[in-house]
Amino acid sequence: MKDAKATLDEAGNRENPLLKLPGFGNFTIIDRYIARQFLTIFLFALASFAALFILINLVENLDRFLDRHIPFGRIIIYYLSGLPDTFLLTSPLSVLLASLFVTGKLSMQSELPALKSAGMSLSRLMKPFLVVTLVITAFNTVNSCFIAPAMYDWSKGFEKRYLKKQQDNGKEPLHIRESKNRILTVAEIGPDRKSAATVSLETFNGSQIVERIDADSLRIITRKKYWILYNTKKRTFSNGIETLATKPGADTLKLSLAPNTFKMIDTDPDEMNIVQHVDFIWQKARSGLSGLERATVKLHTKLALPLASMIIVLIGVPLSSKKKRSGLAVEISISLLIGLLYLGMLKTIGSLGYDGLLDPVLAAWLPDMLFITAGAFLYRSADH
């Protein structure tokens, strides 16, 4: 006969339903307790890191705000719009801190040994951590691919306009592979990114130049998708003979370049959502523009960085699953050390991908791969 507090198993032993640890399909009171503690500490750590980042940035740039008479409301918008990017970067740190603190607390208060004696394995202990982190990862993925890019103009765009000196790449000579055998050279791109001055278009047959068109300026008509060259001089080379034909005024030319080619030259991939970013890389490769490696690393980082929170739990929980005498200060120190190590690797390895010294896709995913390996090793050692 069953009562409210106990049941009998098949062997006749008395069981407590609060200590019964069913499979991953059920979420018990113990799971909810751990998940609630984990989520609370994560949110507190996330807010603390965000406040720290804002405070450091404000102290660093306060004199610039005052010198340039930037309205207070605009400064508030700048910091609020930077929160999605800050949350994305600090989530792995916050997840690691929360997992270390909660697991360490369970261990130090002898709750974890009691759970283990009731039959809870390390993989079962990780269930509430993984469930909460899965939600965090899903949000960070949406944040990385859509929310943070949408906030770009108000956050990083603000920094470029008011806090940093911009380099005008439009005034530097630029060579663009217009098609397989044609190269477009422009001396200066217009501020509207739809025009250019002092233009030449060279056509090759193998290594030999067969035609060159020089023009005073060029403009793209985006709605009709064709280009207009002004005051052209067309040179044709055949059998060592050069033929020159001039045409004052406008001359329409069909080019295979994308209408936004000039805009792509100094566009930061961080301001694009994931769909725009994929299209940007395709068009950049098609146009033969430089910086393809950097854009590829940034694309895969948008996917790899959100997964860091899920991966880093595999390190935090096994690391604190054994009872020890260390306090909160040690847990925080370990969290900062591992978290900063991950962010440092992300930056360092990513720079190798930018320079083409490492495959761009590998450069974006290598930190995650290394931390998965470390987490698997820690889990294996802690489980035994």
Side-chain angles (χ1 to χ4, degrees):
M1 182 175 180
K2 298 182 180 178
D3 57 60
K5 294 185 178 180
T7 59
L8 294 178
D9 60 14
E10 295 179 356
N13 299 318
R14 188 173 295 273
E15 294 181 322
N16 190 321
L18 296 183
L19 293 180
K20 186 178 181 180
L21 304 172
F24 267 52
N26 299 316
F27 213 64
T28 64
I29 294 177
I30 297 173
D31 293 326
R32 292 196 293 271
Y33 168 75
I34 294 175
R36 184 170 57 250
Q37 293 292 320
F38 177 61
L39 183 60
T40 300
I41 298 173
F42 166 77
L43 293 175
F44 176 78
L46 196 66
S48 300
F49 283 127
L52 181 62
F53 273 48
I54 291 175
L55 181 60
I56 293 174
N57 186 277
L58 182 61
V59 171
E60 181 182 356
N61 295 306
L62 184 59
D63 56 338
R64 294 188 180 94
F65 293 149
L66 297 176
D67 292 342
R68 301 178 186 184
H69 305 288
I70 300 176
F72 179 73
R74 188 64 189 84
I75 297 174
I76 295 295
I77 293 176
Y78 161 62
Y79 283 115
L80 290 178
S81 61
L83 287 178
D85 196 51
T86 302
F87 290 160
L88 187 62
L89 289 174
T90 58
S91 284
L93 283 170
S94 303
V95 164
L96 182 58
L97 176 62
S99 61
L100 286 173
F101 182 82
V102 172
T103 313
K105 182 181 177 182
L106 291 174
S107 180
M108 287 186 291
Q109 294 181 350
S110 299
E111 294 174 315
L112 187 56
L115 292 174
K116 288 182 177 180
S117 65
M120 176 179 278
S121 64
L122 180 59
S123 60
R124 184 60 182 81
L125 172 66
M126 294 182 67
K127 173 188 172 181
F129 294 97
L130 292 175
V131 169
V132 175
T133 310
L134 181 62
V135 176
I136 295 171
T137 300
F139 172 78
N140 280 338
T141 302
V142 175
N143 181 14
S144 177
C145 295
F146 297 99
I147 300 177
M151 298 289 105
Y152 180 91
D153 188 60
W154 291 343
S155 56
K156 294 182 180 179
F158 177 91
E159 292 179 0
K160 289 184 176 181
R161 288 191 294 269
Y162 297 107
L163 304 181
K164 297 178 181 179
K165 293 183 179 180
Q166 281 187 282
Q167 295 180 349
D168 191 353
N169 294 329
K171 293 184 178 180
E172 299 178 358
L174 180 68
H175 303 280
I176 304 172
R177 188 181 62 193
E178 186 271 333
S179 62
K180 190 173 182 179
N181 63 335
R182 295 205 298 188
I183 296 177
L184 178 68
T185 302
V186 297
E188 181 179 351
I189 296 176
D192 60 355
R193 300 303 180 196
K194 295 181 180 180
S195 61
T198 313
V199 179
S200 69
L201 179 65
E202 297 172 312
T203 304
F204 293 85
N205 182 11
S207 60
Q208 300 294 322
I209 184 170
V210 295
E211 183 182 274
R212 172 172 173 149
I213 300 175
D214 294 287
D216 292 344
S217 60
L218 175 150
R219 174 168 291 277
I220 172 67
I221 307 300
T222 54
R223 287 180 296 177
K224 298 183 179 180
K225 297 183 179 179
Y226 63 81
W227 303 70
I228 298 179
L229 283 73
Y230 298 92
N231 301 324
T232 62
K233 295 179 181 180
K234 181 177 179 180
R235 291 179 173 86
T236 304
F237 305 92
S238 178
N239 299 323
I241 300 174
E242 177 183 340
T243 304
L244 175 63
T246 62
K247 186 176 181 179
D251 187 14
T252 302
L253 183 66
K254 190 73 175 179
L255 298 179
S256 61
L257 294 177
N260 61 342
T261 296
F262 291 156
K263 185 178 180 181
M264 287 193 299
I265 293 169
D266 60 354
T267 298
D268 192 335
D270 288 336
E271 65 182 291
M272 306 173 191
N273 62 43
I274 193 69
V275 178
Q276 295 169 336
H277 200 150
V278 172
D279 183 63
F280 171 77
I281 290 178
W282 182 82
Q283 293 188 24
K284 204 175 183 71
R286 177 186 173 190
S287 301
L289 297 174
S290 61
L292 184 62
E293 294 83 2
R294 183 183 185 90
T296 304
V297 172
K298 284 183 173 289
L299 171 66
H300 287 272
T301 300
K302 285 181 179 179
L303 301 173
L305 185 56
L307 290 177
S309 298
M310 179 68 71
I311 294 170
I312 217 158
V313 164
L314 300 176
I315 295 177
V317 176
L319 200 60
S320 290
S321 61
K322 295 183 178 181
K323 187 173 182 179
K324 49 186 180 296
R325 298 180 180 179
S326 59
L328 179 61
V330 176
E331 305 291 352
I332 294 176
S333 300
I334 294 174
S335 301
L336 291 175
L337 178 62
I338 297 177
L340 292 176
L341 177 62
Y342 174 81
L343 294 178
M345 289 176 58
L346 194 69
K347 187 74 173 178
T348 304
I349 298 176
S351 65
L352 296 178
Y354 294 163
D355 297 333
L357 301 176
L358 190 65
D359 180 78
V361 177
L362 180 61
W365 289 99
L366 187 57
D368 282 9
M369 294 166 61
L370 293 175
F371 269 69
I372 288 177
T373 304
F377 176 78
L378 287 172
Y379 172 82
R380 183 183 179 87
S381 62
D383 197 37
H384 288 79

